[in-house]
Amino acid sequence: MPVTVFAGTGYYVPDRVVTNEELTQYMDTSDEWIVERTGITERRWVSDGMSGAEMARRASVMALEAAEMRADEIDAIVLATLSPDHFFPGTGVFLQRELGLGTVPALDIRAQCSGFVYGLSVADAWIRSGQFRNVLLVGVEIQSTGIDVSTRGRDIAVLFGDGAGAAVLTATEDADRGVLSTRIHSDGRHAEVLWAEAASSRKNPRISKEDIEAGRHYPTMEGRDVFKHAVTRMPEAVLEVLSAHGLEPSDIDLLIPHQANLRISQMVQRRLGLPDEKVFNNIQSYGNTTAATIPIALAEAVRAGRLGRGDLLALVAFGSGFTWGASLIRW
Ligand code: UT7
């Protein structure tokens, strides 16, 4: 039976750097508060009408180059985003068109911060079953056009950034490497703890002047509640995938946690008893780019030489839904 390996990774972040200092011009906040509570010092925001599909394309081209693969060798696209360019169709088909991929399928995944891990679960199952050989897995997010950049929205606005990450996954017959397991979960009892109420197809019209005046088109979050669940579910998910293979946290060579808040990553790291050199964080520079955080971090970790053949890599995510999950990969 084939196993799934990462043949290449890539990422794209917009040029526009938004520092904590810049945010103080729009809202009552401070560099000190943001750094202390989140670890973030700057993030990237799109400008000039940049689309999610275009950022995804740029990240994908980099991943294809790294994989030494032509775009027309891709058999399917899985694209994770909570901020699609349009209500429909999904961003995946725009990416498919821009890459000139004929009629290969494009599946959009809506699992928020866990989107890349959910997508990996799907892509890995397709590859292992023999349905597809090469799958392009992308996480892309434009948060900056959907956040309340005033004091009212400061708890969320300071956290999020824009970007895209991509991975080319391919089938191999090598028995000694590849994706070992991915486990995913959700708990919709917490759906409104972190959500955007409007626009909504439950209403006609889907968004009203009143919605906009009340700020219902902006995401809202019970930050402490999300934090509390994240620091429980993330280590739990890592332990779940490890135990499926009789492995321990000490067997992990590199952990890439979803980049929601540096304090969350540090707590997850502590709960798993991992030293600093075994955890990769880049939230300091990009903020939380939701579905894009893990593939951006993975692409950077690869380029920084943090992963060698045979290393045990763990990916773990938690986010709105709630959704969460983890994946274990023999690199
Ligand atoms: O992928 C999942 C996505 N989301 C998350 O993972 C978020 C998880 N939660 C968090 O990261 C944290 O809860 C936050 C960073 C969002 C907030 O940190 P906190 O330590 O939980 O602060 P808090 O919400 O309890 O707020 C403390 C104070 C409040 O003021 P008062 O009521 O004590 O006067 C807030 O109004 O901090 C205030 N505050 C801010 N102050 C300056 C909230 N946001 C800001 C801000 N700048 N940006």
Side-chain angles (χ1 to χ4, degrees):
M1 198 166 90
V3 293
T4 305
V5 289
F6 283 72
T9 60
Y11 71 104
Y12 174 79
V13 289
D15 294 336
R16 184 171 171 217
V17 176
V18 178
T19 61
N20 292 345
E21 199 53 42
E22 180 178 339
L23 293 180
T24 66
Q25 297 167 26
Y26 316 133
M27 64 188 79
D28 180 13
T29 190
S30 65
D31 177 55
E32 195 188 6
W33 191 97
I34 301 171
V35 170
E36 191 188 309
R37 307 277 178 135
T38 74
I40 300 165
T41 56
E42 58 189 40
R43 71 287 292 141
R44 304 296 181 97
W45 285 3
V46 292
S47 48
D48 301 330
M50 171 65 82
S51 67
E54 176 57 17
M55 291 203 296
R57 190 192 66 77
R58 294 182 190 196
S60 299
V61 166
M62 188 173 172
L64 284 162
E65 276 170 13
E68 298 180 354
M69 203 181 275
R70 294 188 318 272
D72 64 10
E73 293 175 85
I74 293 295
D75 303 312
I77 292 176
V78 179
L79 183 142
T81 188
L82 70 68
S83 53
D85 288 343
H86 302 280
F87 233 117
F88 73 90
T91 302
V93 295
F94 292 98
L95 174 63
Q96 190 261 10
R97 180 179 74 193
E98 295 309 313
L99 288 172
L101 294 192
T103 60
V104 306
L107 171 70
D108 275 41
I109 298 253
R110 300 204 40 191
Q112 300 65 251
C113 299
S114 311
F116 190 81
V117 174
Y118 265 63
L120 181 56
S121 165
V122 172
D124 179 41
W126 278 347
I127 289 173
R128 273 188 293 112
S129 72
Q131 186 162 356
F132 298 116
R133 194 162 178 85
N134 300 320
V135 180
L136 177 61
L137 174 60
V138 183
V140 57
E141 223 69 73
I142 296 183
Q143 294 285 3
S144 60
T145 55
I147 49 180
D148 182 357
V149 190
S150 72
T151 298
R152 179 178 65 176
R154 65 183 179 176
D155 58 330
I156 289 197
V158 301
L159 295 179
F160 290 101
D162 305 338
V168 174
L169 304 171
T170 192
T172 179
E173 272 65 40
D174 292 357
D176 63 339
R177 63 186 187 131
V179 177
L180 301 180
S181 284
T182 304
R183 298 290 164 94
I184 51 178
H185 298 277
S186 73
D187 187 347
R189 288 176 299 175
H190 306 276
E192 290 93 356
V193 170
L194 170 52
W195 76 324
E197 189 179 350
S200 166
S201 45
R202 291 169 61 186
K203 294 201 292 188
N204 189 358
R206 291 179 175 178
I207 191 158
S208 63
K209 200 160 160 265
E210 293 72 42
D211 285 332
I212 291 174
E213 277 162 11
R216 281 192 282 270
H217 58 308
Y218 291 128
T220 56
M221 172 174 76
E222 304 288 340
R224 290 194 166 219
D225 206 18
V226 179
F227 196 108
K228 198 180 70 193
H229 282 86
V231 297
T232 305
R233 293 305 195 183
M234 290 170 81
E236 192 179 278
V238 174
L239 293 174
E240 185 186 12
V241 283
L242 284 169
S243 73
H245 298 274
L247 296 166
E248 302 284 332
S250 57
D251 292 313
I252 294 174
D253 294 298
L254 190 68
L255 173 74
I256 301 185
H258 166 60
Q259 303 288 291
N261 180 326
L262 190 61
R263 308 297 159 232
I264 293 178
S265 297
Q266 287 166 337
M267 215 171 268
V268 172
Q269 173 183 345
R270 263 202 308 280
R271 290 192 174 175
L272 293 170
L274 296 174
D276 288 350
E277 63 272 17
K278 287 190 170 188
V279 183
F280 191 87
N281 290 304
N282 62 4
I283 191 170
Q284 300 89 335
S285 314
Y286 303 131
N288 178 352
T289 57
T290 326
T293 80
I294 289 181
I296 294 174
L298 180 59
E300 286 199 336
V302 167
R303 281 156 185 79
R306 297 282 293 271
L307 277 164
R309 174 81 189 251
D311 280 355
L312 190 66
L313 167 68
L315 309 177
V316 63
F318 180 89
S320 159
F322 293 145
T323 56
W324 67 98
S327 188
L328 205 57
I329 298 131
R330 184 66 68 189
W331 197 253

